[in-house]
Amino acid sequence: MRLKLVIFDVDGTLVDSQGLIVEAMNLAFEGQGLAPPSREETLSIVGLSLDVAMFKLLPEADAALRARLVDGYKQGYMQRRAETGVAQSSPFFAGARDVLDRLQAQSDVLLGVATGKSRRGLDKLIDGHGLQGMFVTTQVADDHPSKPHPSMIATALTETGVDARDAVMIGDTSYDMEMAAAAGVAGIGVGWGYHARDALGAARHVVEDFAALESALTQIWEVQP
Protein backbone atom coordinates (compact mmCIF):
# COMPACT_ATOMS: atom_id res chain seq x y z
CA MET A 1 0.00 0.00 0.00
CA ARG A 2 1.43 3.36 -1.08
CA LEU A 3 0.78 6.16 1.36
CA LYS A 4 -0.68 9.41 0.05
CA LEU A 5 -0.24 12.83 1.61
CA VAL A 6 -2.77 15.66 1.42
CA ILE A 7 -1.32 18.98 2.57
CA PHE A 8 -3.69 21.83 3.37
CA ASP A 9 -3.14 25.53 3.56
CA VAL A 10 -5.20 27.01 6.41
CA ASP A 11 -6.40 30.61 6.04
CA GLY A 12 -8.65 30.93 2.99
CA THR A 13 -8.65 27.17 2.45
CA LEU A 14 -9.88 25.41 5.59
CA VAL A 15 -11.01 28.43 7.59
CA ASP A 16 -12.33 31.88 6.73
CA SER A 17 -10.26 34.24 8.87
CA GLN A 18 -10.34 37.23 6.53
CA GLY A 19 -12.19 39.49 8.96
CA LEU A 20 -9.64 38.81 11.70
CA ILE A 21 -6.69 39.24 9.32
CA VAL A 22 -7.94 42.55 7.92
CA GLU A 23 -8.74 43.94 11.36
CA ALA A 24 -5.32 42.95 12.74
CA MET A 25 -3.57 44.53 9.75
CA ASN A 26 -5.56 47.74 10.17
CA LEU A 27 -4.61 47.89 13.85
CA ALA A 28 -0.94 47.35 13.02
CA PHE A 29 -0.81 50.18 10.49
CA GLU A 30 -2.90 52.57 12.57
CA GLY A 31 -0.64 51.87 15.53
CA GLN A 32 2.24 53.30 13.51
CA GLY A 33 0.25 56.29 12.30
CA LEU A 34 -0.12 54.87 8.80
CA ALA A 35 -3.14 54.51 6.54
CA PRO A 36 -4.05 50.81 6.43
CA PRO A 37 -3.87 48.92 3.15
CA SER A 38 -7.13 48.16 1.38
CA ARG A 39 -8.96 44.93 2.17
CA GLU A 40 -7.90 43.57 -1.22
CA GLU A 41 -4.25 44.44 -0.59
CA THR A 42 -4.29 42.73 2.79
CA LEU A 43 -5.94 39.58 1.48
CA SER A 44 -3.44 39.45 -1.40
CA ILE A 45 -0.60 38.73 1.05
CA VAL A 46 -2.36 36.00 3.05
CA GLY A 47 -0.14 32.93 3.02
CA LEU A 48 3.15 34.80 3.02
CA SER A 49 5.34 34.97 6.09
CA LEU A 50 4.64 38.21 7.94
CA ASP A 51 8.02 39.81 7.24
CA VAL A 52 7.62 39.15 3.52
CA ALA A 53 3.99 40.31 3.64
CA MET A 54 4.91 43.63 5.24
CA PHE A 55 7.64 44.22 2.66
CA LYS A 56 5.12 43.57 -0.12
CA LEU A 57 2.61 45.98 1.44
CA LEU A 58 5.13 48.70 2.34
CA PRO A 59 8.36 48.20 0.35
CA GLU A 60 9.59 51.76 1.03
CA ALA A 61 9.58 51.25 4.82
CA ASP A 62 12.78 50.51 6.69
CA ALA A 63 13.34 47.20 8.47
CA ALA A 64 12.60 48.65 11.91
CA LEU A 65 9.18 49.93 10.85
CA ARG A 66 8.29 46.65 9.18
CA ALA A 67 9.29 44.81 12.36
CA ARG A 68 6.98 47.05 14.39
CA LEU A 69 4.16 46.37 11.94
CA VAL A 70 4.73 42.62 12.31
CA ASP A 71 4.58 42.92 16.09
CA GLY A 72 1.48 45.10 15.91
CA TYR A 73 -0.24 42.62 13.63
CA LYS A 74 0.53 39.72 15.96
CA GLN A 75 -0.74 41.60 19.00
CA GLY A 76 -3.91 42.72 17.24
CA TYR A 77 -4.57 39.25 15.90
CA MET A 78 -4.16 37.59 19.29
CA GLN A 79 -6.26 40.23 21.03
CA ARG A 80 -9.19 39.93 18.61
CA ARG A 81 -9.01 36.13 18.56
CA ALA A 82 -9.10 36.04 22.36
CA GLU A 83 -12.13 38.34 22.38
CA THR A 84 -14.19 36.33 19.88
CA GLY A 85 -12.82 32.78 20.10
CA VAL A 86 -11.34 30.66 17.33
CA ALA A 87 -14.59 29.14 16.09
CA GLN A 88 -16.10 32.57 15.49
CA SER A 89 -13.04 34.45 14.26
CA SER A 90 -11.80 31.62 11.98
CA PRO A 91 -14.82 29.43 11.14
CA PHE A 92 -14.52 26.40 8.87
CA PHE A 93 -15.63 26.82 5.30
CA ALA A 94 -18.73 24.74 4.54
CA GLY A 95 -17.84 21.06 4.25
CA ALA A 96 -14.23 21.43 5.39
CA ARG A 97 -14.45 19.43 8.62
CA ASP A 98 -16.44 16.62 6.98
CA VAL A 99 -13.81 16.21 4.26
CA LEU A 100 -10.99 16.21 6.82
CA ASP A 101 -12.74 13.47 8.80
CA ARG A 102 -13.36 11.33 5.71
CA LEU A 103 -9.79 11.65 4.48
CA GLN A 104 -8.35 10.88 7.91
CA ALA A 105 -10.45 7.71 8.04
CA GLN A 106 -8.69 6.33 4.93
CA SER A 107 -5.85 4.05 5.97
CA ASP A 108 -3.62 5.05 3.04
CA VAL A 109 -4.04 8.84 3.41
CA LEU A 110 -2.03 11.13 5.68
CA LEU A 111 -2.96 14.75 6.31
CA GLY A 112 -0.64 17.71 6.73
CA VAL A 113 -0.57 21.49 6.93
CA ALA A 114 1.65 24.07 5.24
CA THR A 115 0.75 27.55 6.43
CA GLY A 116 2.07 31.07 6.75
CA LYS A 117 0.86 31.01 10.36
CA SER A 118 3.23 30.81 13.29
CA ARG A 119 3.44 27.62 15.33
CA ARG A 120 1.57 29.32 18.15
CA GLY A 121 -1.16 30.50 15.77
CA LEU A 122 -1.61 27.08 14.21
CA ASP A 123 -1.69 25.36 17.60
CA LYS A 124 -4.40 27.79 18.77
CA LEU A 125 -6.48 27.05 15.69
CA ILE A 126 -6.06 23.27 16.05
CA ASP A 127 -7.09 23.44 19.70
CA GLY A 128 -9.99 25.79 19.01
CA HIS A 129 -11.46 23.51 16.35
CA GLY A 130 -10.69 20.22 18.09
CA LEU A 131 -8.28 19.03 15.40
CA GLN A 132 -5.73 17.42 17.69
CA GLY A 133 -4.24 14.36 15.99
CA MET A 134 -5.69 15.25 12.58
CA PHE A 135 -2.39 16.27 10.93
CA VAL A 136 0.73 14.12 11.00
CA THR A 137 2.97 16.91 9.68
CA THR A 138 2.56 20.65 10.30
CA GLN A 139 4.81 23.16 8.57
CA VAL A 140 4.69 26.79 9.71
CA ALA A 141 6.33 30.12 8.92
CA ASP A 142 8.61 29.92 11.98
CA ASP A 143 10.65 27.13 10.42
CA HIS A 144 10.79 27.89 6.70
CA PRO A 145 11.32 30.51 4.03
CA SER A 146 8.06 32.11 2.96
CA LYS A 147 5.84 30.50 0.36
CA PRO A 148 6.23 29.90 -2.56
CA HIS A 149 9.60 28.41 -1.56
CA PRO A 150 9.14 24.60 -1.57
CA SER A 151 10.75 24.02 1.84
CA MET A 152 7.47 23.36 3.67
CA ILE A 153 6.39 20.65 1.25
CA ALA A 154 9.85 19.12 1.01
CA THR A 155 9.98 18.79 4.79
CA ALA A 156 6.46 17.32 4.93
CA LEU A 157 7.48 14.68 2.38
CA THR A 158 10.60 13.83 4.37
CA GLU A 159 8.69 13.58 7.67
CA THR A 160 6.03 11.28 6.23
CA GLY A 161 8.15 9.28 3.80
CA VAL A 162 5.66 9.95 1.01
CA ASP A 163 6.87 10.31 -2.57
CA ALA A 164 6.18 13.64 -4.29
CA ARG A 165 4.05 11.89 -6.92
CA ASP A 166 1.68 10.74 -4.15
CA ALA A 167 1.32 14.14 -2.48
CA VAL A 168 -1.12 16.96 -3.17
CA MET A 169 -1.09 20.56 -1.95
CA ILE A 170 -4.48 22.24 -1.49
CA GLY A 171 -4.63 26.02 -1.19
CA ASP A 172 -6.36 29.21 -2.20
CA THR A 173 -3.46 31.40 -3.31
CA SER A 174 -0.94 31.62 -6.11
CA TYR A 175 1.76 31.14 -3.45
CA ASP A 176 0.35 27.71 -2.56
CA MET A 177 0.15 26.55 -6.18
CA GLU A 178 3.60 27.88 -7.06
CA MET A 179 5.02 26.17 -3.96
CA ALA A 180 3.44 22.89 -5.04
CA ALA A 181 4.89 23.20 -8.54
CA ALA A 182 8.34 24.04 -7.15
CA ALA A 183 8.20 20.95 -4.90
CA GLY A 184 7.07 18.68 -7.74
CA VAL A 185 3.68 17.83 -6.27
CA ALA A 186 0.20 18.32 -7.70
CA GLY A 187 -1.68 21.40 -6.60
CA ILE A 188 -5.43 21.79 -6.18
CA GLY A 189 -6.60 25.38 -6.02
CA VAL A 190 -9.82 26.32 -4.25
CA GLY A 191 -12.15 28.92 -5.64
CA TRP A 192 -13.54 30.20 -2.34
CA GLY A 193 -10.34 31.74 -0.95
CA TYR A 194 -8.46 35.01 -1.06
CA HIS A 195 -6.89 34.94 -4.54
CA ALA A 196 -8.90 35.09 -7.75
CA ARG A 197 -9.29 31.89 -9.74
CA ASP A 198 -7.17 33.28 -12.57
CA ALA A 199 -4.23 33.61 -10.15
CA LEU A 200 -4.16 29.82 -9.64
CA GLY A 201 -2.59 29.00 -12.99
CA ALA A 202 -0.07 26.58 -11.51
CA ALA A 203 -2.85 24.36 -10.12
CA ARG A 204 -3.55 20.90 -11.55
CA HIS A 205 -7.24 21.35 -10.70
CA VAL A 206 -9.37 24.16 -9.28
CA VAL A 207 -12.48 23.23 -7.28
CA GLU A 208 -15.35 25.48 -6.27
CA ASP A 209 -16.49 23.68 -3.10
CA PHE A 210 -15.39 20.95 -0.73
CA ALA A 211 -17.85 18.52 -2.31
CA ALA A 212 -15.62 18.46 -5.41
CA LEU A 213 -12.32 18.04 -3.59
CA GLU A 214 -12.29 14.29 -3.08
CA SER A 215 -13.11 13.69 -6.74
CA ALA A 216 -10.18 15.90 -7.75
CA LEU A 217 -7.86 13.94 -5.47
CA THR A 218 -9.04 10.67 -7.02
CA GLN A 219 -8.41 12.01 -10.50
CA ILE A 220 -4.84 12.94 -9.58
CA TRP A 221 -4.00 9.65 -7.90
CA GLU A 222 -5.61 7.48 -10.61
CA VAL A 223 -3.12 8.73 -13.21
CA GLN A 224 -0.02 8.25 -11.07
CA PRO A 225 2.25 5.39 -12.21
Side-chain angles (χ1 to χ4, degrees), residues 24-35:
M25 192 66 74
N26 290 349
L27 289 171
F29 272 70
E30 290 165 357
Q32 298 301 316
L34 300 170

Side-chain angles (χ1 to χ4, degrees), residues 43-93:
L43 293 180
S44 76
I45 56 81
V46 174
L48 297 174
S49 299
L50 277 175
D51 56 341
V52 176
M54 293 305 179
F55 181 81
K56 188 175 178 67
L57 289 173
L58 207 64
E60 69 276 13
D62 60 31
L65 175 55
R66 291 199 299 272
R68 292 196 297 274
L69 287 169
V70 168
D71 287 341
Y73 176 89
K74 289 179 178 178
Q75 291 171 14
Y77 193 100
M78 289 186 292
Q79 176 185 335
R80 291 297 187 259
R81 183 182 59 199
E83 290 170 355
T84 59
V86 170
Q88 183 175 338
S89 61
S90 299
F92 276 123
F93 284 104

Side-chain angles (χ1 to χ4, degrees), residues 108-129:
D108 61 339
V109 174
L110 303 175
L111 300 182
V113 163
T115 177
K117 285 182 174 298
S118 66
R119 176 66 61 188
R120 179 172 59 179
L122 179 61
D123 287 348
K124 285 284 188 182
L125 185 128
I126 287 174
D127 290 345
H129 279 297

